[in-house]
């Protein structure tokens, strides 16, 4: 159920997750998510959120000015 508008119709979607960390931009593309059909708000499952955190944490260590990571490739490489 959507925590914003309480609508319970969600559809499968993908999104781009962007983190700004100490002047570095970390971009994770093609992140699977559920999208609310009513308000368009996007949600991650717990599993996806966990993977995303691992991906972002490893990107933080690199401290590149801009890191662009493909979620699917990062997941399968881990
Ligand atoms: Zn909603």
């Amino acid at each position: 159920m959507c925590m914003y508008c309480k609508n319970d119709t969600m559809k499968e979607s993908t999104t781009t997750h962007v983190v700004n960390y100490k002047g570095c931009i970390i971009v994770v593309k093609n992140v699977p998510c559920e999208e609310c059909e009513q308000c368009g708000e996007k949600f991650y499952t717990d599993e996806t959120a966990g993977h995303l955190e691992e991906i972002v944490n490893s990107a933080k260590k690199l401290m590149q000015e801009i890191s662009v990571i493909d979620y699917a490739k990062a997941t399968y490489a881990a």
Side-chain angles (χ1 to χ4, degrees):
M1 189 168 85
C2 177
M3 71 174 82
Y4 292 92
C5 70
K6 310 298 182 194
N7 174 44
D8 60 4
T9 312
M10 311 291 277
K11 63 180 178 184
E12 300 270 312
S13 184
T14 57
T15 188
T16 302
H17 184 76
V18 181
V19 177
N20 195 331
Y21 175 74
K22 295 183 181 176
C24 300
I25 308 288
I26 300 162
V27 180
V28 188
K29 299 188 299 182
N30 300 318
V31 184
C33 64
E34 296 195 331
E35 183 178 339
C36 173
E37 289 198 335
Q38 187 163 291
C39 73
E41 193 62 41
K42 290 175 176 174
F43 302 92
Y44 302 127
T45 62
D46 288 347
E47 189 189 4
T48 302
H51 283 311
L52 203 49
E53 197 177 328
E54 287 174 23
I55 293 167
V56 169
N57 283 343
S58 55
K60 281 177 180 174
K61 289 176 195 151
L62 300 174
M63 292 300 289
Q64 291 184 52
E65 202 168 335
I66 300 176
S67 300
V68 181
I69 302 146
D70 188 298
Y71 179 89
K73 288 173 189 167
T75 301
Y76 295 129

